[in-house]
């Protein structure tokens, strides 16, 4: 089609997510398989890469904006703009689960954090006693400096005894068959309690000027 030399792209094709170090396609395809196509970056400089008229340009491209150009009967046509985002990902999936404390009283707020290191391409799921009732609030912090980590925080407000149990986070690599589970056990008591063991009798006698120690074991 001389009036439409580039096959129209859908928005999903224009945003390209690539794992660090992996090759990718910039999917500008032509309606004429013999068309000569040039790839240019955001600085309007030509980028040299292998072109497949059925898939587009393939290569290890830096993050940024790219456009394809071709000539039809002396007229230059431009493709849609393609944006490449580079995501950090490792083959391993280091995960840690953290709880400020593991014993709570009814009415307190439970906070459990799951941290994924050195990966931006992760799917994470929580399993916990109140999940069926969607009781938990989940927050994600994507920290880049000084190193990459995804911090998932699960908060259970107004905890009850029913919130006692296993709190587990499962991280899955978005593109590789890698997953990691971490678990912590949380206990919620109906009310607080103190156990006292006095190491003296209900009635004690002391002489004048005598120093007397009263020892109590508190748990």
């Amino acid at each position: 089609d001389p009036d439409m030399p580039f096959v129209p792209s859908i928005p999903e094709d224009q945003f390209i997510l690539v794992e660090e170090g992996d090759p990718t396609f910039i999917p500008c395809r032509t309606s004429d398989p013999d068309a000569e196509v040039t790839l240019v970056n955001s600085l309007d400089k030509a980028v040299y890469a292998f072109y497949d008229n059925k898939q587009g340009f393939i290569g290890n491209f830096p993050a940024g904006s790219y456009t394809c150009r071709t000539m039809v009967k002396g007229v230059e046509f431009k493709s849609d703009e393609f944006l490449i985002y580079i995501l950090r990902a490792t083959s391993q999936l280091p995960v840690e689960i953290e709880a400020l404390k593991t014993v709570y009283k009814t009415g307190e707020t439970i906070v459990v954090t799951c941290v994924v290191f050195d990966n931006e391409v992760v799917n994470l799921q929580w399993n916990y006693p109140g999940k069926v009732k969607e009781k938990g609030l989940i927050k994600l912090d994507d920290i880049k400096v000084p190193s990459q980590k995804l911090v998932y925080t699960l908060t259970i407000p107004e905890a009850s005894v029913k919130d006692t149990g296993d709190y587990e986070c499962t991280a899955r690599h978005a593109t590789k068959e890698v997953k990691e589970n971490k678990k912590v056990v949380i206990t919620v008591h109906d009310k607080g309690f103190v156990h006292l063991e006095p190491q003296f009798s209900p009635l004690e006698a002391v002489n004048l000027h005598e120093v007397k120690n009263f020892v109590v074991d508190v748990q």
Side-chain angles (χ1 to χ4, degrees), residues 39-54:
L39 179 66
V40 296
N41 60 21
S42 58
L43 301 175
D44 208 31
K45 291 185 177 180
V47 178
Y48 298 98
F50 176 76
Y51 183 71
D52 182 330
N53 57 29
K54 294 180 181 179

Side-chain angles (χ1 to χ4, degrees), residues 17-21 85-89 119-121 144:
L17 302 179
V18 190
E19 288 184 30
E20 200 171 42
Y85 296 90
I86 306 295
L87 299 177
R88 180 168 175 77
N119 279 271
E120 293 179 284
V121 195
K144 308 285 188 186

Side-chain angles (χ1 to χ4, degrees), residues 193-198 215-219:
F193 60 88
V194 174
H195 178 65
L196 294 174
E197 271 190 25
V215 179
V216 181
D217 182 25
V218 183
Q219 295 183 6

Side-chain angles (χ1 to χ4, degrees), residues 37-171:
V37 184
T38 302
L39 179 66
V40 296
N41 60 21
S42 58
L43 301 175
D44 208 31
K45 291 185 177 180
V47 178
Y48 298 98
F50 176 76
Y51 183 71
D52 182 330
N53 57 29
K54 294 180 181 179
Q55 294 180 292
F57 285 97
I58 183 172
N60 292 81
F61 303 106
S65 168
Y66 295 85
T67 308
C68 301
R69 296 179 181 177
T70 190
M71 299 288 289
V72 178
K73 296 180 180 180
V75 179
E76 184 181 70
F77 288 83
K78 295 181 182 180
S79 71
D80 294 321
E81 183 183 40
F82 297 92
L83 297 172
I84 292 182
Y85 296 90
I86 306 295
L87 299 177
R88 180 168 175 77
T90 59
S91 56
Q92 301 299 316
L93 204 54
V95 178
E96 289 183 4
I97 193 167
E98 302 169 354
L100 294 177
K101 58 181 184 176
T102 56
V103 179
Y104 291 84
K105 292 187 298 181
T106 295
E108 291 186 326
T109 299
I110 298 173
V111 179
V112 182
T113 301
C114 199
V115 184
V116 181
F117 298 92
D118 298 326
N119 279 271
E120 293 179 284
V121 195
V122 172
N123 295 319
L124 188 131
Q125 290 184 327
W126 286 98
N127 281 308
Y128 55 96
K131 184 175 181 179
V132 175
K133 295 183 179 180
E134 297 182 349
K135 190 173 181 180
L137 305 173
I138 299 172
K139 176 188 173 187
L140 169 61
D141 292 308
D142 186 355
I143 299 173
K144 308 285 188 186
V145 178
S147 60
Q148 170 65 44
K149 62 181 178 179
L150 298 173
V151 181
Y152 297 84
T153 304
L154 172 66
T155 304
I156 311 290
E158 296 292 325
S160 70
V161 176
K162 292 181 179 179
D163 292 309
T164 294
D166 294 342
Y167 285 70
E168 181 181 49
C169 66
T170 302

